[in-house]
Amino acid sequence: SRLKPFDTETNRALFLSFSLAPSRAPTFNSLSSFGICQKSIFYRKAFLTMSSMVMNTNSINLTMAVGSQESSLSDLLPPVHGLFDILFDEVSWIIFGFLAIQVLLRANLLPKVEFLSKLSPPRSRVSARAGKLQSHTKPGETSPDHLALWKDAQRRNEAVSLNALKPCAQALLGCNSKTALNQLTTHLSKHAESYPQPAAALNAVVEGVVSTDGPEAALSLVQNVENSVSKVQRNGKTVELLIEAFARKGDKDQVLSMLGGSTEARHFAVAIRGFLRASDLYSASAVLVCTAQRKIAVGPRAAGELLRAAQAKGWDELLRVLGLISDDEVEAPVEILAKFLNECQSPGDAALLRALEDISLRQPGHHYCLYEPLLKIHAKKRTTRAVELFLMMTSNGLFASEGLCGKLLALSGESENFAFVEAIMKYLREREMLSLSIFKTLMKVYASAGKYEEACDLHDDVLEAGFEPDQVMYGCLVKFAVKCNRSELSRKLARDSKSTDVQNHIWLIRSAGQEGDVDRAIQALRESKADAAIYNATMDVCVSKNRFQEAEMLLKEAKELGFANLISYNTLLKGYCAASDIAKARRTLKQMAEAGISADSASYNCLLGVAISAGNFADVWSLLDEMIKKSIKPDHYTVSIVMKVAKRSHSQQDAAKAFELLDALHGLKVCEDDILFNTVLDALIARQDYHRLGRLLNEYRSSRTTKTSVHTYGLLIKAYSLLRQTEPITQLWREMVETRQVVPNTITLSCYLDALVSSKQVGKATAVFQEWKGRVATNTILYATLIKGFATVGDAASAMEMYKQLQSEGHQMNLVAYTSLIDAQARGGEMEKATELLATMEKEGCDPNVITFSAIIKGHCMQGNLQAAFAMFEKMLGRGLKADAVLFNTLLDGCVRHSGFELADALLEKMHDCSVKPTNFTTSIEVKMWGKRRQLDQAFAVVRAAAEDRSRRLDAQIGTCLVSACFLNQAPERALGVLPEMRRWLGSSGPDATTYSTLVLGLARQNMGREATEVAMEALSSCNSSQRGSHNNNHRQQQQQHQQYALLSEEALAQLARVMQKQGLLQKELGIRLQSRLEAVGLALPKTGYVKRQQY
């Protein structure tokens, strides 16, 4: 305002001076304050000169025009000097006056000002001491001096200062004084008028009491003070302190009681904060819901703190909290919700995403930051929800930018959500927002889904929209045109692009190859600016059409031009391998070495593939040895090819070599390559290699870098079924069909049904089949799987019902389906139906195999109809089928069960004549037979003869049968000798639970209490050693040993207890030692018999 009298030019100069050199501004302000005559031309020239100096200090000719008059530097120097003289005088006087006043004040020569002393009351000694204490202690701390300060105030009948009330209260309560609360109440009542704000004093005391004795004592103090002194009443701060204290203690009922009549949003916010500090998210959620129900606006901050605290404990806890507050109109901060949605972009937890989406869309207003992550999440799913959200966003006035649309198009391409793609493109067309980058993204979306026709059609849309495709887009279009066999379009695009790009010519050559026109491919080579890549592409076309002569010619030309490389030779090598011409493939490999080009793993992979296809596994190992000698490291494809050996070869040695190669490649990351993972998994399943299979599945769970395909899901389900782990199977199925919403194919559905059937979940398998029946193509394998399941549970009627459904859908029964159906009828005792099905099977031209006849024979044996069983056996032999050990065992067991010993003798001779090697089950049946025939020596002779066979490994079941035969023949002493004999068997693991229980039970029944007790102690010692040794085994081994821990059955222990009590052995040393051993494995042996303490 002081610059207004100046003219425009002067004002401009001053403004520029101040803005360019702020440090000089005080000089100009002082000039105007000194009352300079501003209209004088003298000062005008001075100001203008100084402004020029500020703006251009390097200028030599410091002149400035004032109106139409020019002034030189010599004209302006005197006024400037005068100006600085005045400034110097003024500053000198100010400094002198300041120093003079300081001297007078120090000498007390100036009178005191009375009104200053009236502004504050005189400080008492207690207040002065409190101030001194406060300056020497930190906030919240107490010291012994605070207690002394309190006592001094009580003695002087003075009020403690407001700042000292809290530490004094803490110090007083810390002395365990029973009268501390009464003293504090009395002090506030007596000195209420000493405090300008009595409620502030009450709050200070409440803070001290809360931190020392808790909120209950503080609430009692407040009530006592209010009852005794009407002037001291609680205020909002007091209520907040009490609510927060009770909340931090977790007293939900007291907090809700205090909030019952309150409508203050701050009280509810304090309660939520207190519960969060106590990590009581449930109570915090309840208070937040209460605010929503009572229409109390606490703001979004409280909900944000609650959600952040829940997320800090994990996504599961956040989901629980969202479930608590989702049914009420709770306002949450959109930035927190947007953060969670962005962090949950993966659709791994569908429930959490649904909860976040629900609470996000219920927030007041429409927020772009919420719609964006929601659209990205649903774009990855093949559902219509993405379209609904997109229309909701745009209809509410939110703008979808080109960048967002491009990102959503790309994500929709990954999930093939083409409904969403069309919605986005419609939005862009209506607003004329189409661009070349959008068309490029859309083209990639179609191409990634294999929709090359639609990608090619975009060329016309681009031109219609007024854009010209660039060279990159032309190259992609040419490639897509070739892939969808639109050769004419590919040539047109190549011409329109007017590009000399090598890649375009390569695609034209491949287009000619697709049409089988090798001559046109060679012509395209001649018309292009040839290089190594073009020659290799043309050679590939030649070998794919078995035009090896032209391929050899092109290789020769490439060598002369210097274009021949590793790919050239590998292309020719691949062609000869595809034609199974191993000799020429080897010759090409030799020519490669002569040309100084080293072969790589791809070169040998071709040869390995041919060897495996021909079943020549010896050549596979020879080629691998050659690779190792040449220091060529096997790659993913090499291992994938070799895994086929492990699956197809009947030799265990070949499988061992294949898996040794897999183990030797330590840096090979199997789970990162989908093809490699599938081949390895398939081979391990075929070989039932539980150890490697479990290790691979653990690695897959920890890495999970590949996008699981439908085929991989089927193999994973089959693998877990083999390991008998049902929980991961259910998780995989839900992940596939619910989380990723992938429709299974017939093979994957068959794997899942088979896994359910194997775990005896036939009802669930049937429900799953009926659920997917309309969406997945059914076949005979699916029905056969279910029929097999009904056979395992003996449900013949349901098996027949499934058979009728199969026929009604027009499927053809196969061998497996018929065999499973016949087995179901035989197990259910429906032998007539089983025989009819066999006749129907033969009538339809489906020849039964040994397993089919074995099912019928087993059914006859179970019913005791040995004549029918042998008749069916002879019928099978008459068809030229060879009986195996399983079938002989079925018949032999039927004969022994029904005392057909002569038939059993004849069957054993027949088995010998057919050169069928007996199994352990065969030997067990023979032992039972000789035991029943009262020829115990013959039973021992059979077992000893089998033990001398070095190729066999006898199991514990044979020993159990031998023990039973001894007791059946009243020979307990010989039964005792079975245990040491079993330990001498080659490769035997010794007696098992059944062996020990059978022996103890038999000895106890023979009143051989001492011997039975000693055997029981031996069994329990074996149990302890099994427990100690089981901790280093894998899951399946632990599960098997788990069943061996209680090595004595309930019946055996009960009989043992009775005989020991009868013979007075329980109180003797032997009985005490037995009971101690039982205690070690969680069992007990009371006088009345067996009591089970712990379930194993």
Side-chain angles (χ1 to χ4, degrees), residues 1049-1077:
S1049 66
E1050 296 182 9
E1051 185 183 5
L1053 278 174
Q1055 187 69 33
L1056 178 62
R1058 284 192 288 269
V1059 73
M1060 290 182 69
Q1061 186 176 10
K1062 180 179 178 181
Q1063 297 180 358
L1065 297 175
L1066 288 174
Q1067 291 75 28
K1068 294 184 180 180
E1069 181 183 357
L1070 187 62
I1072 295 172
R1073 284 166 53 199
L1074 175 62
Q1075 294 185 65
S1076 176
R1077 295 277 179 90

Side-chain angles (χ1 to χ4, degrees), residues 462-697:
V462 171
L463 297 178
E464 184 180 348
F467 300 108
E468 179 64 30
D470 55 14
Q471 295 300 326
V472 175
M473 192 172 189
Y474 266 121
C476 293
L477 287 171
V478 170
K479 177 174 67 174
F480 300 151
V482 172
K483 288 193 173 184
C484 65
N485 296 322
R486 295 176 65 174
S487 303
E488 184 178 349
L489 177 62
S490 64
R491 292 193 294 272
K492 178 181 179 300
L493 292 170
R495 289 194 303 269
D496 292 345
S497 66
K498 299 178 182 179
S499 171
T500 58
D501 186 25
V502 173
Q503 193 62 42
N504 284 357
H505 286 88
I506 291 175
W507 283 111
L508 286 174
I509 292 170
R510 291 179 180 176
S511 174
Q514 284 185 343
E515 296 180 352
D517 195 342
V518 177
D519 295 333
R520 183 157 61 85
I522 296 175
Q523 182 182 354
L525 166 68
R526 304 302 181 199
E527 294 174 352
S528 66
K529 189 178 180 181
D531 65 355
I534 292 179
Y535 265 101
N536 293 339
T538 311
M539 288 178 59
D540 186 56
V541 171
C542 294
V543 299
S544 65
K545 303 303 177 183
N546 293 327
R547 299 278 289 273
F548 293 105
Q549 185 175 356
E550 287 83 350
E552 294 275 7
M553 176 194 69
L554 291 174
L555 179 60
K556 183 178 180 181
E557 287 183 16
K559 288 169 62 177
E560 293 173 354
L561 295 172
F563 293 152
N565 55 18
L566 177 62
I567 299 175
S568 307
Y569 284 98
N570 279 348
T571 301
L572 188 59
L573 182 66
K574 181 182 69 174
Y576 284 129
C577 289
S580 300
D581 195 340
I582 302 299
K584 289 185 178 179
R586 284 283 191 179
R587 187 193 67 186
T588 304
L589 194 65
K590 183 179 179 182
Q591 290 175 355
M592 187 190 311
E594 292 173 353
I597 299 175
S598 299
D600 64 353
S601 57
S603 309
Y604 281 93
N605 288 342
C606 297
L607 296 170
L608 287 169
V610 175
I612 291 175
S613 299
N616 194 348
F617 301 132
D619 280 356
V620 173
W621 309 125
S622 175
L623 288 168
L624 284 174
D625 292 340
E626 190 175 333
M627 289 178 67
I628 294 171
K629 289 179 182 177
K630 293 183 179 181
S631 300
I632 300 174
K633 186 177 180 180
D635 60 7
H636 288 67
Y637 296 103
T638 311
V639 178
S640 298
I641 294 169
V642 173
M643 285 300 106
K644 295 178 183 178
V645 177
K647 181 181 179 181
R648 297 178 184 178
S649 177
H650 298 291
S651 170
Q652 187 64 33
Q653 187 177 4
D654 286 337
K657 285 183 178 180
F659 291 138
E660 285 173 5
L661 174 65
L662 178 66
D663 297 337
L665 300 174
H666 300 292
L668 187 67
K669 296 181 179 180
V670 177
C671 298
E672 293 185 1
D673 185 277
D674 195 36
I675 297 176
L676 176 61
F677 178 74
N678 288 343
T679 54
V680 173
L681 192 61
D682 198 17
L684 293 174
I685 292 171
R687 286 293 172 180
Q688 298 187 2
D689 192 330
Y690 300 110
H691 177 67
R692 287 188 177 91
L693 189 59
R695 189 174 61 191
L696 180 63
L697 292 175

Side-chain angles (χ1 to χ4, degrees), residues 63 357 552 558 630 747 867:
T63 62
E357 179 181 342
E552 294 275 7
K630 293 183 179 181
I747 297 175
Q867 183 178 359

